[in-house]
Structures are given as C-alpha cells and as structure tokens.
Amino acid sequence: MARLNYHHLYYFWRVARSSSLTDAAETLHISQSALSAQIKQLELSLDVALFVRQGRKLVLTDVGRRVLAYAQDIFNTGEELEKFIQKDSATQVQHITIGVQSNLSRNFIESFIAPLLKSENVDFSLASRGMTDLLSGLVNHELDLALTNRAILSEGQDTTWQNQLVARQAVAIVGPYGEKPDTPFPQGYEDKKWVVPGRNTDIRSSFESFCATHQYQPDIKAEVDDMAMLRLLARDSGYLSVLPPVVVKDEIQSKVLQDYESIPQAFENFYAITMPRKFTSQPVLDLIKIAIHQYAVDYSM
C-alpha cells in the first residue's frame, strides 16, 4: 500500500462529516469533480470502498466508518494544536470560550464565571446555544467547555464526552412573600395555582413524585422550559413555582418571593461538558475546580 496521503484523507474527513459532496466542495472552495477525484484516489491507495451512494447522499461503508474514526482523531488533534498556538503564542492573556445551555439559570452562570471577572490574565466569551449547537461547538473546537443541566451520554456516538458535575442546587416550592401556608404540605395548597418546568425535566419529575406521595393534584397554570422565563412568572404571576432558590435569589432577598419548603431529594444538576484533549487550558481546569469547591458537590446524593 502506498504511503497515506493526508491531503486526501482530509478531504474524505470533510465529506464524511457533511454527508454531502456538494456541501463539502462549497466549504472547501473546490469543484465537486475535483473533490470526488481526490477521494477516489484515497480509496485506490487504501484498496477499499469508503462510500456508497444512496440516492443523493453518500453513506459510509463499514470500513469508511472505521477510517473516519482515525481521521477524527488526527484532524481534531490538528485543530486543537492550531487553537493552542493561537491562544498561547500570540499573547500572555488567554482567551476561553464558554457555551451555555440557552435555558440555564443566569444566576448560576454568573457565579460560575465570577472568578474570570477577577483575573487579569484571562478574558472570555459566552455563547448561549441549544444543546445540539453546544456539542457541535465542542467538536469543532469553537468552545472550550459547555455548561448544561444534564449529562451527555457517549453511548452509540463516535464522540466521547467528559461530564463534570460542578454544582447541585436543591429544588424548592417558591411563592409570593408572606403567603406561605402555616400548615404542612399539602394542607393550605388546595386552591393554589402553579407555574412549573416542562415535563421532560428532572425538576418536574421530582415535583410530580412529591405530589403523588402526598396525594396532591396541582392546578398547573403554565409549563415553562426556559428558566429565565420561569423566574419572571414566579416573580410576577402571584402563583407558586418549583425551582432552585438560586434562580430567584434576588427576589427572595428583596422579599418579593419566599422559599416555602424544599422538595426532598430533588435537585437541579449543573455540568461542565468538555472533550478529551491533548491539552486543556489551565483556566478551564481552574474554573471547574473552583465551582466544585464553591458548591461543595456531594457525589453520594
């Protein structure tokens, strides 16, 4: 077998990632015919078929998927090297980019990045994105880490994710200040209306289990997936809500809202998601360590 041509391998990698010869050619600024010829030369040199055509799409063969895994390691490491050189050779001030899940608690984000605001040697960018775009940003080296409220599983994926639990916030019933019932739940809650997180959340599941245990049927006025919007509704609607008190800490301190009671064994978890790297910047490692120490995460819970 001839010596591996990494130029051809790079073109294969770009086409395999997009599953479209047309899209890859446009991104690489070459013609489709030239790109196709480069991949054909790679197949000839390896003496294997890397793609089969299904309709208008190119689909990887079994061998093609294995070759892609090697190409991912090779070129991801190359991109990581480029980013390392750009960051650490050009300036003494390091820059890190943090992606945040679009519906994550703003109070948690603010507390997480607080150490960076005090550092003279690090500046940073925050990018609010949906989960799919966060993961894509990590893979493409656009992000150094991502903050989410759920762990990312690697099962059945080509990518390995590193999930670090950095904070765990207790969940409580929160309502208008001075209106907390004097009797234990669910007494005094019969006529209350609720604004709660969406059904596909850990908080909602915990709340429903809590209600079921007490044989209580909540009168739900609204379901909200966005934590910032849930905060506003909890503050302005006069209804009860279920969320971590940290989300509404300013409203609690100003006595607009009140923490009525915690829901046993109910938590919102906050994760720092990264990918395995040859080199992880020290500011990223320090930031994660500070968060774990600050929130004193108990992993036994």
Side-chain angles (χ1 to χ4, degrees), residues 138 152 154 160-164 271-277 280:
L138 289 170
I152 308 301
S154 298
T160 299
W161 306 106
Q162 294 176 328
N163 299 277
Q164 179 64 63
Y271 294 90
I273 311 297
T274 57
M275 292 184 63
R277 307 289 195 201
T280 301

Side-chain angles (χ1 to χ4, degrees), residues 189-201:
Y189 289 82
E190 294 83 359
D191 298 326
K192 302 293 186 181
K193 294 185 182 296
W194 299 78
V195 289
V196 297
R199 293 182 180 275
N200 296 323
T201 63

Side-chain angles (χ1 to χ4, degrees), residues 10-61:
Y10 177 75
Y11 282 151
F12 158 77
W13 178 60
R14 295 298 295 266
V15 172
R17 291 172 66 188
S18 65
S19 300
S20 168
L21 193 67
T22 302
D23 293 344
E26 290 178 357
T27 303
L28 294 167
H29 305 292
I30 63 174
S31 68
Q32 291 186 49
S33 59
L35 182 57
S36 179
Q38 299 270 9
I39 293 174
K40 181 57 67 176
Q41 289 182 43
L42 178 63
E43 290 181 319
L44 289 173
S45 68
L46 297 176
D47 195 25
V48 294
L50 300 174
F51 292 104
V52 293
R53 183 171 291 280
Q54 293 183 359
R56 295 184 177 182
K57 298 189 71 174
L58 289 175
V59 179
L60 288 166
T61 63

